[in-house]
Amino acid sequence: MKGVYRADAKTHIFVSSDIVPDDYVLKANESFENPTGKVSPAKLQGAGWVDATPEEHEAYLKQQEEEFLAQHPTQVQQPDRGDQALNLLGQQIAKMQQQQTTLMQSVNALGQTVTKATVSSAAQPANSQSAAPAQSAASAQTSAQAQA
Amino acid sequence: MANIQKIFTGMSQGPETIDNNLNAINTELQNVDGVVSSLQWTDVTSTGLVFQNGFNQLGSDSSHESVYRFVQFKGWKLVDLQIMVTLSAAPSNTSYATAVSLPDSISYDGWHEWVENDKYQLTINGNQFRVSVLGTNGWWSGDGSHYVAHILYAHVD
């Protein structure tokens, strides 16, 4: 017994294999060469198989996957529970960061308001209290000179 | 099938007919026993298996490679298929790929699938043995990767 490997008559793409007697005579679109190792879908050229092009390979995989997913709609990729929990945690962290940013902006705004209030309230008392002793000293000195 | 004569009340040579029936049944059972005892598994082989999309034989001995054998009955086969493959490089942009193509003479008449390690779904359908990645798991490829299945099934010729 030996293997025979068959290609589609129109596309020459590998479609199936079979086991046949040792004296089997090849028919059209058949080969005794095994296309294992060739880039799928392998194409029959003469007695041997050749690699598919990268584009043909991509299209072949995509077609197979689409066929499978059409038969298995539940197999459409869904994040598992761990990923879902991680996503939820990420969303919560993003929300907390946003809240923190808002809070920081509020604190900054409040700080500026307090600073302004401190500066404006400190401006007048500072003039009268710091200038008064000098004026008093000057007055006292003047008074002493006058007395002298 | 044994040729059994009908027994009825008042028939002539009833005991002889019953005896002939029993002899016919014994002969049939001996024939069946002869057929059963002559049934044998074929040699284990990988002839006709085609590995695709980066999948290859896991090893080079029969306990680590994809092989099959069968017992031939009249019109059907009992197939013992062992799939042991490794994936050299992950197929790109897909979560589903044919790993092995089976010879038509031992194809699976129907569809059967099962899950390995909660990560991969293995499917046998017709002459295709396929692997699909479940959820967000990636392909297991490179050294040490292996996808394994061992199934016994009937193939109708």
Side-chain angles (χ1 to χ4, degrees):
Chain A
M1 301 291 275
K2 58 183 176 181
V4 64
Y5 305 89
R6 300 185 174 117
D8 181 87
K10 289 183 179 176
T11 63
H12 305 297
I13 287 174
F14 168 75
V15 287
S16 66
S17 66
D18 211 348
I19 40 179
V20 293
D22 289 334
D23 59 354
Y24 181 82
V25 178
L26 286 177
K27 298 173 185 170
N29 305 303
E30 291 183 343
S31 170
F32 288 131
E33 184 182 312
N34 189 325
T36 289
K38 299 295 180 187
V39 177
S40 304
K43 279 185 179 178
L44 185 62
Q45 279 190 1
W49 300 93
V50 296
D51 289 333
T53 64
E55 292 77 21
E56 289 170 335
H57 180 60
E58 288 283 321
Y60 171 73
L61 288 176
K62 190 174 181 183
Q63 180 196 351
Q64 284 199 324
E65 186 170 44
E66 285 174 355
E67 287 174 1
F68 178 77
L69 292 177
Q71 293 164 326
H72 294 74
T74 56
Q75 290 296 316
V76 175
Q77 287 197 354
Q78 298 284 346
D80 61 22
R81 288 182 179 177
D83 288 331
Q84 287 176 342
L86 202 60
N87 283 339
L88 192 61
L89 197 61
Q91 288 172 359
Q92 288 175 342
I93 289 173
K95 194 174 180 181
M96 286 175 65
Q97 284 177 332
Q98 193 176 10
Q99 288 173 338
Q100 189 182 15
T101 303
T102 306
L103 189 63
M104 288 299 293
Q105 287 172 346
S106 300
V107 169
N108 284 340
L110 187 62
Q112 288 173 355
T113 305
V114 169
T115 303
K116 282 180 183 174
T118 304
V119 169
S120 62
S121 64
Q124 290 180 350
N127 287 339
S128 56
Q129 286 174 5
S130 61
Q135 285 177 348
S136 301
S139 303
Q141 190 177 13
T142 305
S143 302
Q145 285 173 350
Q147 286 175 358
Chain B
M1 186 172 174
N3 184 20
I4 306 296
Q5 300 297 314
K6 187 173 182 180
I7 307 297
F8 54 91
T9 305
M11 71 183 294
S12 64
Q13 295 187 319
E16 290 79 4
T17 305
I18 292 172
D19 194 42
N20 288 339
N21 283 347
L22 292 173
N23 287 335
I25 291 170
N26 273 337
T27 302
E28 189 70 19
L29 288 174
Q30 286 169 2
N31 288 340
V32 170
D33 187 47
V35 170
V36 171
S37 62
S38 68
L39 290 175
Q40 287 187 335
W41 289 104
T42 60
D43 290 338
V44 169
T45 181
S46 61
T47 301
L49 297 182
V50 178
F51 300 87
Q52 300 182 65
N53 299 311
F55 287 90
N56 285 300
Q57 288 280 31
L58 177 61
S60 56
D61 61 276
S62 61
S63 61
H64 291 90
E65 63 182 350
S66 302
V67 289
Y68 65 88
R69 60 180 182 167
F70 59 83
V71 178
Q72 179 74 63
F73 294 87
K74 186 179 181 181
W76 65 284
K77 296 185 186 79
L78 181 64
V79 182
D80 177 20
L81 173 68
Q82 171 179 283
I83 296 289
M84 299 186 89
V85 291
T86 183
L87 181 57
S88 54
S92 58
N93 301 324
T94 185
S95 60
Y96 172 77
T98 296
V100 185
S101 179
L102 311 176
D104 289 343
S105 299
I106 63 158
S107 63
Y108 188 85
D109 301 325
W111 183 291
H112 183 70
E113 55 197 18
W114 60 101
V115 172
E116 180 178 297
N117 297 334
D118 294 330
K119 293 182 177 179
Y120 308 102
Q121 180 168 293
L122 309 177
T123 305
I124 185 169
N125 172 221
N127 65 356
Q128 302 283 299
F129 180 84
R130 298 170 171 132
V131 180
S132 56
V133 179
L134 297 176
T136 55
N137 294 301
W139 288 101
W140 186 18
S141 60
D143 288 344
S145 70
H146 54 272
Y147 301 84
V148 175
H150 199 155
I151 51 178
L152 190 66
Y153 59 94
H155 165 87
V156 178
D157 291 326

